[in-house]
Amino acid sequence: MDSVAVDKKDQQPNVPQPAPSATDKVPAAAPETPIRKGTDNETWPDPLKGGVEKVPGQLDKDGKPVLQFHDERTGADVQIDRETNPLLYDYLGRVESFQSWYPNTEYAKIQQDEFGAEVLKRDDTPPTIPDLKDVDFAESRGGSITIADKDGKRTVVNKELTPETYKAATELAKSVEGIRMSEQHGYKNETGGTYSDKQIDGAVIGPANEVGPGLIRAEIPNDSGEKQKVVVSKDVNPGLYDRLEAAYKGFSGDAKKVDDTRGGPGLTKLDELDPLNMKTSESKSKDDDTKLTVSELAWRDTLNKWKDGIQDGSIGADDDRAKLYNALRGQAAAESGMPFVSLDVSLGQSTTDVTGADISKIVDRGKLDTKVNELFGKESVQKDYLAAQTEALKKLPNADEIHKKLSETAFSEEYVKHIADLKNKGQDGVAQADIARTYAGLAAFSPEEAGKFAQSTFLNGMTVDLDKIMSTPGAVSEENEALATKDTLASVLATLKKGGVDVPRRLVDTLDKFVNEFMGDKQQVKSFNAVLQELGDTFNKTGTLTQADIEKVANSKGKEIFKALNEKSDGAALSLLGELNSNGTLGSIGGAISLASGIYQAAGKGGSLADTPEERLAVAKDFVSFLGAGQHFANLGSNIIDKVKGTNANKMLGLDKTLPQIFSTDKPSGGKPFTTEANDKFMAAFDKAIDQAAANGTYNLESRANLSATDMEQVKKGMIDGYVKNPELPGSSNVSRWASAALRVMDAGANMFAGVADMVLGGLSLKKGVDGKDPAKISTGALQVAGGLFTFAGGGASAAALAGSAVGRALAGPFLGIGAVIGTVAMLPQMIIDDIKHNNQMNGYRDNVKDLFADLEKQGLLTEDGKKRFDFLNDYIYNYGQRDAPDDQSIFDYRREEYDFYAGKGHLPEAGFDPVKHEDYKGDGPNLDTTLSKIG
């Protein structure tokens, strides 16, 4: 009989144990876990369940280990290589890092077990403050952040598992902490308050992001002059945030500085080119011969059209144009006062002006100003104004000449250099104001041309930005430099392994060992690349490199890390440099790394461009090819050209064939011993490998930017037609691929641009105008700009109504000439009086004023008792025939007792019948009662 193990814990000492029964069963051995090969469609494992192992002795073709994980769903162990499923493979690598630090797993497991939290596996857009369960819930612990949404669902975002989302979640946590800290110091978290322009002008405002990302603090005066301390989040209250940020930057002040910074050849003063602020042949009114500017005339005619439409019923009360017309009248009245109808002894009826202080007791200035800003962005408003602006331009005597000069300046390379210079001097606001005014001027003549200007400045600006990165020491991050170095060396290795190039086997073996064993440390990679770059510079100057040159650089001061790396690799680092040089590729590799690292930096994070080293280098090559096809590249990209051509990277990447007019050169490659034939074979093989690995430039762009495939093709076509100036290139198979690569870089970097490209997006309000901080929306705007499709033609940016357009409130200001409308709005009361004067409509005007305040009440723009206050003021002026109050006091303050009586009884106090008596104010002459009593 088989023996059966007895559980020791059930045995008692000195007590006989029963013999095993024949029916007792021997426990079966645990079945072996099945193992299967992974596919490109796998369920990603929970990072808290099971580990990740390297399969011993199994490497893929690039030398990467095969990884194994347990599939909870099927019960099998799955072995996966990177080529089969690169996204899952990289995730498993991150899981390894995540599980290697105990605090990571401990914290995540507590959140999962106690609160049902989910551990985020893939990078995603994190929630914003309005999405949180409450403003306090974004908890940071070590390398993890837990976020709870409004439904109470918790998500753990870990630095190792989802590095990009972790960065964004860190910003969110910092914002939450900034709000908490501000509240502790007496600031109110202002989620919905409204403030007048006058209050904003009188506020003490701190810089944006001072206490946390997307936060701005201010002390805003209330009606009594007391300062209220508020902290405002861009995510929660974007309208107020934008107004405070604009006030802090002094945007109007920056606009005034535009001409002061313009000088030098090709940069005519903008005041001489701005059609919107030039005088037309039209007069202000029948009684005032002052000439109106284009913008003033456009607004006057727009407002008149709306007034007529409201009167004849063609514009209904709920129409945005009617709402804005009345809101603007209310705003003008609160600022400058307005006429009210009054009884007149000689005329029967006349008008009496009430003051802005009187009206400000009736309307809520904060709500009114907020509403006006909102309505400026409505499509019907913009459409009518732009139509009137087109007609107003016809009243400009020399419109064609102005248009020509404006275009020449806007599309010149001097303009791009000017914007870059302003950026370098820290004058971001002036640069953005210049772009906004130039765009607005061109848009007045042609919205399509304005779109091309935005495109030209943006894409030429990317050339300037890349050129600066490549010429500025330290401009590239360690991460991007390391990735570019590894990508280039790995691609060289892959090229040599594929054969067809006559090189010693020892070079392949040395490179293979070196890349896979020693290029995982950023400092080592950086030190190796520093040697490559210095050798590339030497080759650029002399046209050749010797072993003595290599040893001199490698042993020079500051190369301690490289020396240690060489010793650690048993001389492989120095040997590799010698082998590469003997085959004429050493200088070229340094140039290729420099170009790739610069483009990775422009994209923000090079690893997001594509999945494999060859694909990322293909994006870099195609991106610089696209920029190189531009009209001004030769002058704006001189540092790029020098670096690429000087190191022969142009041949290595095939740029001398794709853009011979820019990148061709007769300069021989250096290196001894060296054969042109061997070098040419390697260059051709490397270029072919890169071309074959070209990444799809629209990969994932369509869904992330919410653009259809048709929209994306429209953007690409616009890029090619509007930017590529070489007539031999459009229509070739390469150009479309170049545009795709450019789109890929722009999408990756749109939210992180730091140069001229950033100024363009800022000047067009694409960075501050979108609601919230959604990078995809900013990216969508950037892609529209790149395609020449950002045209202000009613409703903001309208590229054939591209899906996902997200142009915000701030856009309306510069492009609708809001500065001019304020002056025109001040004329509104007089425009109406002119109607009364010339059409004898006094009774109709009194009804019109009643309708105005009834509409403002309907829109929620009056104070709490605003309706009652209007009724009092209307009856008061009508009956007394004058304000009967000091000019520096509102009637409501001077006649407080009379208003309180009216509010309770519903009529003005009558002499001899009511306890409240109206005393005639002597400062403005006798009122109607006094006059009638004298007559009587």
Side-chain angles (χ1 to χ4, degrees):
M1 178 184 295
D2 294 335
S3 63
V4 178
V6 180
D7 194 336
K8 298 285 186 187
K9 70 181 180 181
D10 292 332
Q11 292 185 352
Q12 299 180 26
N14 304 318
V15 177
Q17 301 298 316
S21 166
T23 58
D24 288 341
K25 295 183 179 179
V26 178
E32 288 191 10
T33 302
I35 298 175
R36 64 178 176 81
K37 181 175 175 56
T39 69
D40 61 358
N41 184 23
E42 297 285 350
T43 300
W44 289 19
D46 188 320
L48 293 176
K49 295 180 180 178
V52 178
E53 302 173 357
K54 295 182 176 70
V55 180
Q58 292 193 38
L59 302 175
D60 64 14
K61 65 178 184 179
D62 293 323
K64 293 184 179 294
V66 175
L67 301 180
Q68 180 172 299
F69 69 95
H70 186 69
D71 183 359
E72 293 279 341
R73 186 173 51 86
T74 64
D77 285 343
V78 181
Q79 296 182 349
I80 196 81
D81 59 70
R82 196 176 189 284
E83 184 178 11
T84 300
N85 195 329
L87 295 179
L88 173 57
Y89 185 94
D90 291 346
Y91 167 70
L92 294 174
R94 296 195 298 272
V95 170
E96 263 194 304
S97 299
F98 169 76
Q99 294 178 344
S100 67
W101 196 50
Y102 177 68
N104 276 339
T105 54
E106 180 188 37
Y107 176 74
K109 189 158 180 51
I110 290 172
Q111 291 294 321
Q112 190 178 74
D113 292 345
E114 295 188 14
F115 304 104
E118 174 189 351
V119 180
L120 191 66
K121 300 176 185 177
R122 303 173 189 245
D123 275 314
D124 198 359
T125 302
T128 57
I129 291 176
D131 301 320
L132 297 180
K133 181 179 180 182
D134 55 61
V135 78
D136 288 336
F137 215 96
E139 177 183 86
S140 180
R141 290 288 187 279
S144 297
I145 294 174
T146 297
I147 297 169
D149 64 18
K150 286 184 176 179
D151 297 327
K153 177 185 174 183
R154 293 195 180 203
T155 303
V156 177
V157 182
N158 181 265
K159 183 178 182 179
E160 301 292 344
L161 291 173
T162 51
E164 293 304 309
T165 306
Y166 178 80
K167 286 181 184 178
T170 300
E171 298 282 287
L172 176 62
K174 288 178 181 177
S175 298
V176 168
E177 182 58 31
I179 292 174
R180 286 176 182 162
M181 182 268 289
S182 297
E183 289 178 328
Q184 290 170 2
H185 287 83
Y187 285 82
K188 175 188 176 185
N189 179 22
E190 187 59 274
T191 59
T194 54
Y195 298 89
S196 69
D197 291 340
K198 184 177 181 181
Q199 286 176 288
I200 299 295
D201 289 341
V204 177
I205 306 170
N209 307 315
E210 179 184 26
V211 294
L215 300 180
I216 193 166
R217 297 201 304 193
E219 297 180 22
I220 305 177
N222 58 23
D223 291 338
S224 62
E226 296 177 354
K227 296 287 181 68
Q228 180 180 6
K229 297 164 71 174
V230 298
V231 57
V232 182
S233 164
K234 185 174 179 63
D235 290 334
V236 177
N237 196 341
L240 181 57
Y241 180 96
D242 285 347
R243 293 171 68 199
L244 291 172
E245 183 185 35
Y248 175 80
K249 289 182 176 180
F251 186 82
S252 60
D254 286 333
K256 293 173 184 175
K257 296 174 187 174
V258 168
D259 271 346
D260 295 338
T261 61
R262 282 201 175 195
L267 287 174
T268 306
K269 298 284 187 181
L270 194 54
D271 280 349
E272 299 175 28
L273 301 175
D274 184 358
L276 300 178
N277 290 310
M278 291 184 173
K279 299 287 186 181
T280 66
S281 56
E282 287 289 304
S283 300
K284 183 176 287 188
S285 69
K286 295 179 181 179
D287 301 318
D288 186 346
D289 195 40
T290 302
K291 301 304 180 186
L292 295 173
T293 66
V294 169
S295 188
E296 289 170 342
L297 176 58
W299 270 114
R300 189 197 69 180
D301 290 351
T302 300
L303 294 170
N304 275 330
K305 175 184 177 181
W306 293 348
K307 175 173 65 69
D308 294 342
I310 293 168
Q311 289 176 352
D312 65 24
S314 60
I315 295 179
D318 291 331
D319 192 299
D320 288 326
R321 295 169 295 177
K323 291 178 181 178
L324 178 57
Y325 178 77
N326 285 332
L328 287 172
R329 287 181 65 191
Q331 195 178 52
E335 191 67 36
S336 306
M338 68 181 296
F340 270 50
V341 174
S342 58
L343 292 173
D344 186 281
V345 173
S346 57
L347 299 174
Q349 290 186 128
S350 183
T351 59
T352 296
D353 289 338
V354 300
T355 67
D358 297 332
I359 301 298
S360 291
K361 296 291 185 178
I362 299 174
V363 300
D364 186 316
R365 285 300 304 271
K367 292 179 180 179
L368 191 60
D369 292 342
T370 301
K371 188 69 172 179
V372 167
N373 286 334
E374 173 192 327
L375 289 169
F376 273 139
K378 299 299 183 180
E379 183 174 357
S380 58
V381 170
Q382 296 168 5
K383 183 178 179 180
D384 279 1
Y385 169 77
L386 292 171
Q389 180 181 265
T390 299
E391 293 302 311
L393 279 169
K394 297 176 182 178
K395 306 292 184 180
L396 204 59
N398 54 341
D400 291 341
E401 180 184 348
I402 294 168
H403 186 189
K404 183 174 182 291
K405 286 183 179 179
L406 180 61
S407 294
E408 289 173 351
T409 298
F411 288 92
S412 68
E413 62 185 57
E414 285 80 10
Y415 183 80
V416 181
K417 290 178 179 177
H418 172 62
I419 298 299
D421 184 56
L422 291 174
K423 172 66 180 176
N424 292 336
K425 292 177 179 176
Q427 295 180 286
D428 292 21
V430 180
Q432 293 177 14
D434 195 317
I435 290 168
R437 286 186 62 191
T438 302
Y439 181 98
L442 287 170
F445 290 113
S446 167
E448 292 73 22
E449 185 180 23
K452 297 302 180 187
F453 158 73
Q455 175 191 54
S456 169
T457 310
F458 181 67
L459 295 177
N460 285 325
M462 294 195 75
T463 297
V464 172
D465 296 342
L466 177 59
D467 195 73
K468 182 182 178 182
I469 289 171
M470 292 187 64
S471 63
T472 305
V476 178
S477 68
E478 287 188 0
E479 184 178 17
N480 282 323
E481 181 182 349
L483 182 64
T485 304
K486 290 165 66 177
D487 281 355
T488 304
L489 292 177
S491 298
V492 169
L493 175 61
T495 300
L496 296 178
K497 279 185 173 182
K498 289 175 182 176
V501 181
D502 186 17
V503 294
R505 180 65 196 175
R506 68 177 182 277
L507 172 58
V508 178
D509 294 340
T510 301
L511 184 57
D512 195 349
K513 178 181 175 66
F514 190 75
V515 170
N516 288 303
E517 292 188 17
F518 301 107
M519 289 288 97
D521 181 273
K522 288 182 183 178
Q523 288 301 317
Q524 291 181 165
V525 174
K526 185 177 181 180
S527 67
F528 189 77
N529 184 43
V531 173
L532 285 173
Q533 295 304 316
E534 197 167 331
L535 289 171
D537 291 341
T538 300
F539 171 67
N540 196 356
K541 295 173 184 175
T542 65
T544 187
L545 284 173
T546 65
Q547 188 63 28
D549 292 329
I550 296 173
E551 291 176 0
K552 179 181 178 181
V553 171
N555 293 315
S556 62
K557 187 178 179 180
K559 301 297 190 299
E560 286 74 14
I561 296 178
F562 177 83
K563 294 172 190 175
L565 172 62
N566 190 51
E567 292 176 7
K568 184 178 179 182
S569 63
D570 296 326
L574 204 54
S575 175
L576 175 58
L577 293 176
E579 293 287 358
L580 292 173
N581 189 49
S582 69
N583 289 276
T585 59
L586 183 55
S588 304
I589 289 174
I593 291 171
S594 181
L595 177 63
S597 62
I599 293 171
Y600 290 4
Q601 186 68 26
K605 186 175 176 61
S608 64
L609 291 177
D611 293 330
T612 69
E614 291 92 339
E615 287 177 352
R616 287 191 287 271
L617 289 183
V619 171
K621 171 190 173 178
D622 289 339
F623 176 65
V624 79
S625 296
F626 177 78
L627 293 183
Q631 181 179 7
H632 301 307
F633 182 81
N635 292 326
L636 298 178
S638 57
N639 289 307
I640 303 171
I641 297 169
D642 290 347
K643 189 72 173 179
V644 172
K645 288 172 64 175
T647 58
N648 265 8
N650 56 331
K651 291 185 177 180
M652 186 173 176
L653 296 172
L655 292 169
D656 58 333
K657 299 181 182 64
T658 56
L659 288 171
Q661 73 276 28
I662 298 291
F663 289 111
S664 65
T665 178
D666 296 327
K667 184 176 181 179
S669 295
K672 294 179 180 180
F674 167 73
T675 63
T676 302
E677 182 181 358
N679 180 264
D680 286 348
K681 282 185 178 180
F682 170 78
M683 296 291 192
F686 188 90
D687 181 36
K688 181 179 179 182
I690 295 300
D691 282 349
Q692 289 177 341
N696 173 11
T698 60
Y699 171 75
N700 204 29
L701 284 188
E702 293 160 9
S703 59
R704 187 162 62 254
N706 195 24
L707 297 175
S708 69
T710 302
D711 291 335
M712 191 62 75
E713 285 303 314
Q714 186 184 5
V715 170
K716 283 171 60 178
K717 184 178 186 301
M719 289 171 66
I720 294 168
D721 293 346
Y723 179 75
V724 177
K725 300 302 180 184
N726 188 331
E728 299 175 4
L729 294 177
S732 73
S733 59
N734 282 339
V735 179
S736 179
R737 201 178 82 182
W738 298 349
S740 293
L743 284 171
R744 201 174 183 86
V745 174
M746 291 170 208
D747 174 68
N751 204 36
M752 292 173 280
F753 287 141
V756 176
D758 182 62
M759 292 299 92
V760 175
L761 297 183
L764 299 178
S765 302
L766 282 168
K767 299 204 80 169
K768 67 179 179 180
V770 295
D771 293 327
K773 293 183 289 189
D774 187 349
K777 290 182 178 179
I778 299 173
S779 173
T780 302
L783 299 187
Q784 287 179 239
V785 171
L789 304 170
F790 189 92
T791 56
F792 193 72
S798 60
L802 281 187
S805 294
V807 181
R809 301 157 307 285
L811 183 69
F815 305 149
L816 290 186
I818 299 307
V821 76
I822 301 305
T824 308
V825 165
M827 299 190 307
L828 265 170
Q830 188 59 44
M831 288 163 58
I832 294 168
I833 289 300
D834 285 343
D835 277 346
I836 297 170
K837 190 182 297 182
H838 296 288
N839 300 301
N840 194 24
Q841 293 180 336
M842 197 66 70
N843 287 328
Y845 175 65
R846 192 171 191 223
D847 291 339
N848 180 276
V849 172
K850 288 181 181 179
D851 292 341
L852 166 63
F853 283 89
D855 180 73
L856 294 178
E857 180 188 30
K858 183 179 177 182
Q859 292 193 57
L861 304 179
L862 300 186
T863 57
E864 186 175 353
D865 59 345
K867 174 62 168 60
K868 181 65 70 176
R869 286 177 179 270
F870 167 73
D871 290 339
F872 168 77
L873 187 62
N874 192 34
D875 287 348
Y876 178 98
I877 295 296
Y878 190 77
N879 282 279
Y880 294 119
Q882 59 181 194
R883 285 189 74 251
D884 220 16
D887 291 340
D888 60 353
Q889 278 188 270
S890 78
I891 291 173
F892 294 98
D893 290 336
Y894 188 71
R895 302 287 183 181
R896 184 183 303 275
E897 188 179 14
E898 292 177 50
Y899 170 68
D900 290 341
F901 176 86
Y902 186 95
K905 300 295 185 178
H907 62 81
L908 297 172
E910 296 182 36
F913 293 95
D914 295 313
V916 177
K917 184 179 180 181
H918 179 89
E919 297 286 351
D920 192 354
Y921 172 66
K922 305 302 182 183
D924 59 357
N927 63 31
L928 186 61
D929 279 355
T930 303
T931 301
L932 289 175
S933 66
K934 289 180 179 179
I935 295 174

